[in-house]
Amino acid sequence: MNTRYYDLIAKITQWDHEYYVLDDPTVSDAEYDSSFRELLQIESAQPELITPESPSQRVGASPIQDYIKIEHSVRMLSLSNAFSLEETYAFFEKAAKELNIDSVSFNVYSEPKLDGLAISIYYEGGHLVYAATRGDGQVGEDVTHTIKTIKSIPLKLSADQPPKRIDIRGEVFMPKQAFEKLNRLATENNSKVFVNPRNAAAGSIRQMNPKIAAERDLQFIPYGMGTYEGDKAFTKHSDIMGYLHSLGFKLNPHCFNFVGTFDNFTQNYDFMAQHRSELPMEIDGIVYKIDDLTLQNQLGFIARSPKWAVARKFPAQNESTQLLAVDFQVGRTGVLTPVARLAPVFVGGVTVSNATLHNMDEIERLGLCIGDEVEIQRAGDVIPKVVKVISVGSERMPITMPDNCPVCQSIVERTEGQASFRCTGGLTCGAQSAERIKHYASRKFMNINNLGTKLIEVLYDTGKLKTIADIYQLKSEDIADLEGQGIKSAQNVLDSIESSKTTKLGTFIGALGIHEVGEESAKTIAKHFCNLEAISHATLEDLMAVPDIGPVMAKNIEHFFKDNTNQQIIADIIDAGVTWPDEIPPSPNEQPLLGQTWVLTGTLEKLTRIEAKEILEKLGAKVAGSVSKKTDCVVVGKEAGSKLKNAEALGIKTLDENAFLETFKLS
Ligand code: IVH
């Protein structure tokens, strides 16, 4: 029976490869199904045999509860864009100049720019270990559970001597047909439609439940690799692509390798633009890469993009249609966003019936009224927008901001000095509540591990969670009775609620989701006032005396704490046992960097970014994301780019990682 089991795995894996990667099936559906059934029978009779590479293991048993962060061993980069042939060519002329080559005489490899999301899939000894999203390029989220459901991704690499370690980078996307089918079903079921295939792919990959991802027709095409530890020595990008194909991945048939003359770029672009609409997937441009890896290494990177590759974006596509109505959507912080409801129109492969209008100023700028004929623009991955009025409607209706919130009926107010209008319902507004609860429970704030976003949505919809204070009143049966949950998972949720109760003042303030008060400002406020009592009674002047707190934020904080409902919710949370120690005003000795602003750049080797930031904050410094005249010092890691250049230009002090550790006696 064992040999039969492994035979079946090999056979089904081969058939999947033929069908999903080679587009060349060799077996009938009936034979495939009967073999799959036999495999499942063996696995249910002898569960001890089950191996992670069995095709039955693509869809895991239970949904994940939360996302785990994964640090990429090699940074995942982005691409700079070019918007014309001339710009594209100029990009490579500049590269040639930097390489001391007379003209663009090197080979260029062109690949369709797939409109999906970047994923890194890590294999050890040929076995798929994990897959992660790009995230901020350094740290992404673990999405192994949904990536494994994609049949064109091998669970085991096909190689006699697989590399010790390899992470394969590429794009997960949803083919046009699958996207249209998904949205058709969503419309029929009255559920949310996706604006474009990219959002649909991202939404599917970020599903907690792998079963949902498995039902969506997702595909993966690699475009490179990060880590590689194996015995191959590659000299060209095209060789890497050939190697990835040999490992079992599907490649895009529309890749070309050509000498980078202007004429060749022109021909390549014309060909792709002509065939774009015939492709089964949405593409938003063409990526051009210098094929020679030695030249790539010589050129390196600038900021987050390579100097050896560029994305030539297709121009935006415009169409005209009629504006039928304008609805107002309420976001987490209560901001009302006008959304245009349009007569459906087909633009660049997608039917568009909604477009963003940003805010009332934008409506005024466009001179827009309901009933007008408008031009809408879809630029690749961007949400369609209304760009202008083509002709005014015969029966025009002005667009007005409602006086009351469409969700909770509270008064709508214009944010002083800004274009936005907000619902004043705060934590009592339904539209804001679910999002606020997610914000409160998230990893950055109260970090209630097992209370993930999907579970919050379900508990909110069933009326068990209306405000953040209700989290502490949840009972085992509220969760255990839900589909896909049980007593054990309910207990896990309650346990993580319990263990999240001891927190820090700054974390709690940030968790409340006060408009514009982010993680950093919340910490600053906590350190300044030291206890909640002082914060909730602070006057506008008190608040504005805090470094980095401006008048808008000060007003939001004052407004928040004056609200009786908010006060009651906070009192209930404290009654439920949430505690934090008061902050102790720092003595200048303990905080030698008090009042200073530091910046981290490049890859640190001994510390993670998060650790370095925590150390600096403990020493009293504020850690900023970019270098300015106000920066006191920059800690420089490997491959530092523009921030280091800026620091040098501004004459700001820099320290390498070792010097930083030594200065503060941390090594
Ligand atoms: S190469 C250092 N190649 O475009 C190289 N990216 O705008 C980095 N993308 O994050 C990426 N097709 O998600 C590359 N053939 C292709 C691509 C591609 C789509 C996406 C990818 C990347 C984004 C950058």
Side-chain angles (χ1 to χ4, degrees):
M1 202 157 168
N2 273 3
T3 10
R4 177 69 186 151
Y5 178 64
Y6 293 111
D7 279 354
L8 282 168
I9 290 183
K11 253 185 6 182
I12 298 170
T13 305
Q14 176 62 20
W15 291 336
D16 277 344
H17 181 72
E18 286 164 358
Y19 186 90
Y20 293 101
V21 177
L22 307 177
D23 288 324
D24 185 17
T26 60
V27 66
S28 71
D29 286 1
E31 192 178 347
Y32 183 95
D33 290 346
S34 96
S35 297
F36 211 103
R37 264 199 305 278
E38 191 184 342
L39 177 86
L40 294 179
Q41 273 158 9
I42 299 178
E43 291 185 340
S44 97
Q46 286 180 275
E48 69 282 2
L49 282 184
I50 301 179
T51 100
E53 271 106 33
S54 161
S56 70
Q57 301 303 297
R58 285 194 178 270
V59 186
S62 53
I64 59 156
Q65 297 291 336
D66 205 351
Y67 295 107
I68 297 167
K69 299 257 182 261
I70 286 187
E71 189 154 354
H72 301 297
S73 46
V74 176
R75 207 152 53 115
M76 284 186 84
L77 297 155
S78 199
L79 288 170
S80 43
N81 293 325
F83 293 92
S84 67
L85 212 47
E86 288 70 23
E87 254 184 70
T88 310
Y89 191 67
F91 179 91
F92 289 104
E93 276 186 314
K94 197 167 155 207
K97 199 163 163 214
E98 194 162 332
L99 292 166
N100 279 325
I101 304 176
D102 289 344
S103 62
V104 188
S105 53
F106 39 72
N107 267 34
V108 171
Y109 194 79
S110 85
E111 296 163 5
K113 185 166 190 299
L114 302 173
D115 200 9
L117 77 155
I119 296 288
S120 148
I121 313 172
Y122 178 74
Y123 291 84
E124 236 171 51
H127 303 277
L128 194 159
V129 182
Y130 65 76
T133 60
R134 192 174 92 106
D136 63 2
Q138 310 250 28
V139 179
E141 274 173 350
D142 185 342
V143 287
T144 317
H145 65 299
T146 48
I147 286 297
K148 270 169 55 185
T149 67
I150 301 177
K151 303 246 185 44
S152 52
I153 296 178
L155 298 175
K156 191 171 158 222
L157 298 177
S158 109
D160 292 338
Q161 281 172 320
K164 198 166 160 214
R165 293 193 182 86
I166 184 168
D167 89 272
I168 292 161
R169 274 126 192 235
E171 200 85 347
V172 169
F173 61 95
M174 188 177 282
K176 288 177 198 164
Q177 257 189 1
F179 170 72
E180 276 154 31
K181 186 170 150 210
L182 181 68
N183 267 357
R184 213 171 33 246
L185 287 176
T187 316
E188 281 163 22
N189 297 329
N190 252 339
S191 51
K192 196 183 133 215
V193 293
F194 290 101
V195 279
N196 55 34
R198 189 174 72 92
N199 283 16
S204 309
I205 287 303
R206 297 193 77 257
Q207 282 286 337
M208 299 265 173
N209 188 347
K211 290 201 177 77
I212 299 179
E215 285 164 7
R216 312 248 171 109
D217 177 14
L218 295 170
Q219 296 195 12
F220 176 83
I221 289 190
Y223 52 66
M225 60 186 192
T227 295
Y228 174 78
E229 276 179 49
D231 48 16
K232 298 256 180 293
F234 302 104
T235 56
K236 290 186 213 143
H237 174 70
S238 47
D239 290 346
I240 294 180
M241 297 304 281
Y243 179 62
L244 297 182
H245 184 57
S246 79
L247 293 178
F249 288 89
K250 180 173 181 148
L251 296 192
N252 204 311
H254 291 95
C255 294
F256 302 96
N257 202 345
F258 57 86
V259 179
T261 60
F262 192 83
D263 280 358
N264 285 348
F265 274 110
T266 315
Q267 262 185 34
N268 177 272
Y269 180 76
D270 290 350
F271 180 85
M272 290 308 291
Q274 195 189 338
H275 292 283
R276 178 185 179 193
S277 61
E278 296 155 27
L279 296 180
M281 75 289 273
E282 191 73 30
I283 67 171
D284 59 344
I286 310 165
V287 183
Y288 293 108
K289 302 173 178 174
I290 296 183
D291 196 34
D292 188 318
L293 298 180
T294 314
L295 299 184
Q296 284 192 6
N297 287 334
Q298 266 173 282
L299 286 163
F301 305 87
I302 179 151
R304 311 172 102 212
S305 317
K307 289 202 265 178
W308 43 263
V310 71
R312 156 93 160 95
K313 300 295 278 279
F314 287 126
Q317 288 159 303
N318 294 23
E319 271 311 324
S320 72
T321 186
Q322 198 189 16
L323 177 66
L324 301 177
V326 172
D327 288 340
F328 289 86
Q329 275 174 357
V330 191
R332 173 176 72 79
T333 55
V335 172
L336 273 77
T337 307
V339 180
R341 305 293 179 208
L342 306 159
V345 58
F346 198 69
V347 199
V350 201
T351 306
V352 171
S353 44
N354 302 313
T356 173
L357 286 168
H358 301 295
N359 54 43
M360 294 308 280
D361 286 4
E362 172 82 353
I363 291 175
E364 199 173 319
R365 190 183 66 78
L366 294 166
L368 189 63
C369 280
I370 293 164
D372 288 351
E373 190 71 17
V374 293
E375 180 172 317
I376 62 155
Q377 183 175 81
R378 214 187 132 241
D381 51 0
V382 182
I383 299 172
K385 61 177 183 182
V386 175
V387 286
K388 68 175 184 215
V389 173
I390 296 176
S391 62
V392 297
S394 49
E395 281 173 44
R396 304 184 84 201
M397 240 177 37
I399 301 160
T400 49
M401 178 58 68
D403 295 333
N404 298 88
C405 168
V407 177
C408 74
Q409 308 308 320
S410 298
I411 304 283
V412 170
E413 261 181 7
R414 182 160 198 151
T415 320
E416 221 177 88
Q418 290 180 27
S420 59
F421 284 77
R422 289 179 46 226
C423 158
T424 53
L427 293 182
T428 52
C429 174
Q432 298 176 56
S433 302
E435 294 307 311
R436 285 199 176 206
I437 298 168
K438 288 182 202 167
H439 171 88
Y440 182 84
S442 67
R443 181 169 289 258
K444 250 197 211 167
F445 296 104
M446 296 304 279
N447 193 16
I448 311 181
N449 259 328
N450 292 302
L451 188 62
T453 53
K454 277 277 158 321
L455 183 57
I456 292 175
E457 272 170 24
V458 178
L459 288 168
Y460 184 78
D461 290 344
T462 51
K464 296 290 189 305
L465 272 187
K466 290 202 184 74
T467 71
I468 50 177
D470 295 341
I471 293 175
Y472 304 99
Q473 306 307 323
L474 283 175
K475 295 187 191 52
S476 174
E477 60 268 26
D478 294 338
I479 300 157
D481 292 350
L482 300 171
E483 205 191 313
Q485 304 283 344
I487 295 194
K488 195 155 169 268
S489 52
Q491 195 51 49
N492 287 341
V493 176
L494 296 185
D495 287 349
S496 53
I497 294 175
E498 205 46 47
S499 61
S500 73
K501 282 184 175 173
T502 307
T503 181
K504 291 184 186 147
L505 177 59
T507 309
F508 182 71
I509 297 293
L512 292 172
I514 305 169
H515 189 46
E516 301 215 353
V517 180
E519 199 184 355
E520 292 307 316
S521 318
K523 276 190 205 160
T524 314
I525 295 161
K527 284 209 182 106
H528 184 91
F529 291 100
C530 296
N531 60 60
L532 183 67
E533 190 62 16
I535 300 173
S536 55
H537 290 113
T539 63
L540 264 185
E541 290 83 75
D542 295 340
L543 288 159
M544 275 158 66
V546 184
D548 297 330
I549 308 287
V552 175
M553 211 196 289
K555 187 157 180 276
N556 291 342
I557 298 167
E558 195 206 24
H559 189 95
F560 183 91
F561 285 104
K562 266 198 182 150
D563 183 293
N564 287 339
T565 317
N566 290 344
Q567 285 287 4
Q568 188 55 52
I569 286 172
I570 293 174
D572 290 345
I573 292 173
I574 295 171
D575 275 354
V578 174
T579 64
W580 53 83
D582 284 348
E583 296 279 329
I584 301 157
S587 81
N589 294 345
E590 286 166 33
Q591 299 216 297
L593 305 183
L594 200 65
Q596 295 195 11
T597 302
W598 283 52
V599 171
L600 297 163
T601 183
T603 313
L604 301 180
E605 289 181 321
K606 295 189 177 140
L607 296 170
T608 65
R609 276 272 168 133
I610 296 167
E611 284 166 349
K613 187 163 176 258
E614 272 176 3
I615 291 173
L616 283 166
E617 282 170 353
K618 271 211 185 109
L619 294 167
K622 205 184 111 191
V623 180
S626 60
V627 175
S628 73
K629 277 189 288 192
K630 288 190 191 150
T631 310
D632 292 281
C633 185
V634 180
V635 180
V636 182
K638 271 181 128 183
E639 287 178 23
S642 63
K643 286 185 204 167
L644 173 59
K645 280 200 184 128
N646 288 347
E648 283 167 353
L650 293 167
I652 288 161
K653 186 173 134 191
T654 60
L655 285 179
D656 68 21
E657 188 178 3
N658 285 334
F660 166 64
L661 292 170
E662 272 162 31
T663 310
F664 298 103
K665 312 225 168 2
L666 300 163
S667 46

